[in-house]
Amino acid sequence: IEEIPISLERIKPRLIENKGIVNLEQAVEQTPGVFMMDGQASIRGGSGFAYGVGSRVMMLWNGLPLLSGYAGDAQWNAIPIEQASQVEVIKGASSVLYGSGALNGVIALSEKEPGLVPETKIRVQAGIYDAPKRKSMKWWGKDSVQRFNPMNQQIEIFRSQMFKSTGYTLSTVLFNDKGYRQGEEETRGRISGTLYFRPVKIEKLKAGISFNYQYHKTGNFLIWQHADQGYSPSGGADTTNPASTVTYNLSHRLFVDPYLKYIDKFKNKHTLKARTYLTINNNISNSQQSNGAVVYSADSGLQHNFKGGGTLISGVFYAYNTVFSNLFGDHESNNAAVYCQYDQDFGKFDLTAGMRAEYFNMDNKQGDSDFKLGDATLPFYPVFRAGAHYEIQKFTHLRASFGQGIRYPSVGERFT
């Protein structure tokens, strides 16, 4: 990672386990230059704050984008970090390889593969919220339904094993948090895993299918009671009272990822990845706020290593998104792209350059990806990147990079 022209940080699972981290949002905050505000990621201050209008940082799981279809946001607590072999944070515009949304950087996770030695891991943790310094903010006690300090608990189980030509990983997580703000409870259950296939007779072929399903119930409020009761919702936490401002949501998250990797006789690496990503949000308090989406995506890539130290990465990408919502209606969008990047190693000196042509339409209406070139208008939008690295001395590196980023509007922000 010292030889690439942009900054990249790695977070190992050991750090996540030792700090008792329960979702990816808490994990990426351990990275220098990354700031989280109300679910929005900002890398080196480049994203600003734009609640509910799509992420400016791309989320990747096994190399494919994992942003919701209705709002284009990252579902931090639905990412199976217990299945991740590592988390990488790329700081800088990365739309050439990863497309719309990678304006400010990329948070990429790759899943664990089973080893020859079977692995079983069980983790149990619990926490308790202390009383606030201002006594008026404390909403629990003798006169409340909540008699004792709110607590949170998590149970995590992971198992992996590799046989002669097949293997698997399987994990489950149960999490419950009463929250320090009255009514803002969180309960989730998740099961995820992967089935691997590595045929003995074809050593350079690897195939698999991974899955992740999460049930998630949350409560939240935007308006508090008054200045002395900032942890209590206006109207109380009893949702049978029409004055209560607490909202409860019941969500389902499911993605299924089949993939294929193959190295041919010319040492070209071929990859084919696909995903079906379903998100459903049921607003228990107000069904008119419910919505959902299904995103179908696929990426076919080719990597060729030249004898002179050069590497060419190229591929095609396509995603189809269909959204159903009572609030902003039913919509669909198509996103297609071709991309390529070339890296050249000259010993202590490295160069990289790449480009991507991106096409996008929503509800079969073009214009979002139009690019004006003189008097002509192209239906696709080109983005470019270039970079250089030089090793001055051991452990001393000079890097320079230029990158462009793009982001197409989410359905939620366009029609709400």
Side-chain angles (χ1 to χ4, degrees):
I1 62 174
E2 293 176 332
E3 297 178 357
I4 62 175
I6 57 175
S7 298
L8 185 147
E9 300 283 348
R10 282 180 177 171
I11 304 172
K12 293 293 185 179
R14 190 71 176 171
L15 176 69
I16 296 174
E17 294 169 2
N18 289 343
K19 285 185 172 287
I21 290 170
V22 296
N23 61 51
L24 182 59
E25 182 177 354
Q26 297 174 349
V28 298
E29 281 193 307
Q30 306 300 314
T31 304
V34 180
F35 177 69
M36 301 295 300
M37 182 176 180
D38 207 3
Q40 301 290 301
S42 178
I43 299 178
R44 291 176 173 170
S47 295
F49 179 72
Y51 182 78
V53 293
S55 177
R56 269 74 171 156
V57 175
M58 173 57 72
M59 169 75 67
L60 296 176
W61 177 265
N62 283 341
L64 279 178
L66 193 63
L67 299 178
S68 69
Y70 57 91
D73 60 345
Q75 307 291 306
W76 301 103
N77 51 24
I79 307 299
I81 56 175
E82 66 280 356
Q83 283 277 351
S85 61
Q86 67 180 18
V87 181
E88 292 184 345
V89 179
I90 300 172
K91 302 174 183 179
S94 305
S95 285
V96 165
L97 289 182
Y98 305 114
S100 173
L103 287 174
N104 192 208
V106 175
I107 298 171
L109 296 92
S110 52
E111 65 182 356
K112 296 177 183 177
E113 294 188 3
L116 296 177
V117 178
E119 179 183 4
T120 302
K121 185 185 300 180
I122 301 175
R123 185 160 69 106
V124 180
Q125 65 184 57
I128 185 170
Y129 291 99
D130 195 6
K133 290 183 179 181
R134 290 172 58 188
K135 292 183 180 180
S136 63
M137 304 285 272
K138 183 179 176 182
W139 51 270
W140 61 86
K142 293 181 180 180
D143 299 329
S144 173
V145 177
Q146 178 74 30
R147 299 291 300 275
F148 305 102
N149 291 49
M151 296 185 66
N152 58 73
Q153 308 88 19
Q154 175 169 293
I155 300 175
E156 176 184 309
I157 303 173
F158 174 83
R159 170 71 179 178
S160 71
Q161 187 171 2
M162 189 70 199
F163 302 100
K164 189 174 182 180
S165 61
T166 59
Y168 72 91
T169 64
L170 185 64
S171 67
T172 184
V173 173
L174 300 174
F175 176 77
N176 181 64
D177 184 6
K178 293 297 290 185
Y180 67 91
R181 305 212 309 174
Q182 188 180 16
E184 292 208 340
E185 305 174 3
E186 180 179 2
T187 302
R188 64 176 181 260
R190 180 168 64 233
I191 182 169
S192 53
T194 306
L195 296 175
Y196 287 91
F197 179 61
R198 287 199 289 251
V200 177
K201 295 182 179 180
I202 312 176
E203 294 181 356
K204 296 181 180 180
L205 175 67
K206 182 190 296 183
I209 182 169
S210 61
F211 67 92
N212 176 59
Y213 169 73
Q214 176 169 289
Y215 167 93
H216 187 207
K217 183 180 180 181
T218 57
N220 61 70
F221 66 87
L222 295 176
I223 305 173
W224 51 90
Q225 191 74 2
H226 50 72
D228 292 329
Q229 291 183 324
Y231 294 158
S232 299
S234 176
D238 183 5
T239 55
T240 59
N241 180 5
S244 175
T245 54
V246 175
T247 300
Y248 285 98
N249 285 279
L250 183 62
S251 304
H252 301 271
R253 304 278 185 267
L254 171 68
F255 63 79
V256 180
D257 295 15
Y259 70 88
L260 183 70
K261 300 178 182 179
Y262 178 67
I263 300 176
D264 62 25
K265 62 181 180 179
F266 301 107
K267 297 184 179 180
N268 295 313
K269 182 180 179 181
H270 303 265
T271 58
L272 180 60
K273 298 172 287 189
R275 170 174 298 140
T276 300
Y277 182 31
L278 169 68
T279 55
I280 298 176
N281 302 302
N282 293 320
N283 190 309
I284 299 174
S285 309
N286 183 1
S287 61
Q288 293 302 308
Q289 300 281 339
S290 300
N291 58 59
V294 185
V295 181
Y296 304 94
S297 56
D299 184 281
S300 177
L302 169 67
Q303 177 178 318
H304 178 74
N305 297 320
F306 296 92
K307 292 182 179 180
T311 301
L312 177 66
I313 300 172
S314 61
V316 294
F317 171 82
Y318 176 75
Y320 170 74
N321 177 31
T322 177
V323 176
F324 41 93
S325 168
N326 294 327
L327 177 63
F328 43 76
D330 298 345
H331 303 275
E332 62 180 25
S333 63
N334 293 274
N335 185 193
V338 294
Y339 60 90
C340 65
Q341 178 174 293
Y342 182 77
D343 302 309
Q344 181 64 51
D345 179 21
F346 297 102
K348 292 187 176 183
F349 190 61
D350 302 279
L351 287 175
T352 182
M355 72 164 294
R356 183 186 187 97
E358 190 103 5
Y359 171 80
F360 178 86
N361 74 57
M362 187 177 289
D363 296 332
N364 294 318
K365 296 178 181 179
Q366 298 186 17
D368 287 316
S369 61
D370 285 355
F371 181 77
K372 291 187 177 181
L373 187 64
D375 296 331
T377 300
L378 304 177
F380 58 87
Y381 198 94
V383 289
F384 301 89
R385 69 166 299 190
H389 157 261
Y390 180 69
E391 183 181 359
I392 302 173
Q393 294 290 338
K394 192 175 183 181
F395 307 121
T396 306
H397 301 264
L398 181 65
R399 291 186 295 228
S401 66
F402 165 84
Q404 292 181 302
I406 53 172
R407 187 183 70 84
Y408 297 116
S410 67
V411 170
E413 72 177 294
R414 171 161 277 177
F415 293 102
T416 302

